[in-house]
Amino acid sequence: MEYLFQKVAYLKGLADGLGIDESTKEGKLLLTIVETLEEFAEVMEEIVEDQIDLEEYVNFIDEDLADVEDDIYGDEEDYEFDDDDFEFDDYTDCCDDEGCGCHKGFGIDEYFDDEDEEDEE
């Protein structure tokens, strides 16, 4: 950021050294451009400082969140899922009543067959 301030200071010195007259249209334009560049450099410096502060704050939040996750979830090994621990046969999609229609399932072919029947009517 210091580089920007040095360049703007150089431009200001150059404008003073050239004796740019503020009473002319061109002089007003050039001096206003130099002043605007100086303001841009100041704003950029503030943005960079804010960005650094924000980055530090996000890092603190990330560390705090990691601590909270450790407190809540503990070790990941405690929550590993093993397929052998779950009996898939205990949960079936169909009931014993064949009249209910749950044993048919819902495939894409059946969907289009239903549409064809509606079109024929």
Side-chain angles (χ1 to χ4, degrees), residues 62-76 78-79:
D62 186 44
E63 291 172 5
D64 289 344
L65 180 59
D67 292 342
V68 169
E69 287 175 345
D70 287 342
D71 289 344
I72 292 175
Y73 299 116
D75 294 331
E76 290 181 15
D78 295 341
Y79 294 98

Side-chain angles (χ1 to χ4, degrees), residues 102-115:
C102 69
H103 66 280
K104 291 181 182 178
F106 188 75
I108 192 74
D109 294 332
E110 294 170 357
Y111 176 77
F112 285 114
D113 288 341
D114 291 342
E115 279 188 356

Side-chain angles (χ1 to χ4, degrees), residues 27-95:
K28 284 182 184 178
L29 176 66
L30 288 174
L31 293 175
T32 303
I33 289 172
V34 171
E35 288 174 8
T36 305
L37 288 173
E38 186 175 25
E39 290 174 15
F40 271 113
E42 290 171 0
V43 169
M44 286 295 297
E45 184 179 41
E46 290 174 12
I47 290 173
V48 167
E49 289 174 1
D50 289 345
Q51 177 66 30
I52 291 170
D53 292 344
L54 184 61
E55 190 174 325
E56 290 175 4
Y57 185 67
V58 168
N59 286 334
F60 287 133
I61 290 173
D62 186 44
E63 291 172 5
D64 289 344
L65 180 59
D67 292 342
V68 169
E69 287 175 345
D70 287 342
D71 289 344
I72 292 175
Y73 299 116
D75 294 331
E76 290 181 15
E77 296 170 359
D78 295 341
Y79 294 98
E80 287 184 15
F81 181 74
D82 188 11
D83 287 344
D84 296 334
D85 295 339
F86 188 77
E87 283 294 324
F88 291 100
D89 294 333
D90 292 342
Y91 300 95
T92 61
D93 293 331
C94 295
C95 62

Side-chain angles (χ1 to χ4, degrees), residues 8-18 34:
V8 171
Y10 172 76
L11 289 174
K12 286 178 92 172
L14 190 61
D16 289 341
L18 290 174
V34 171

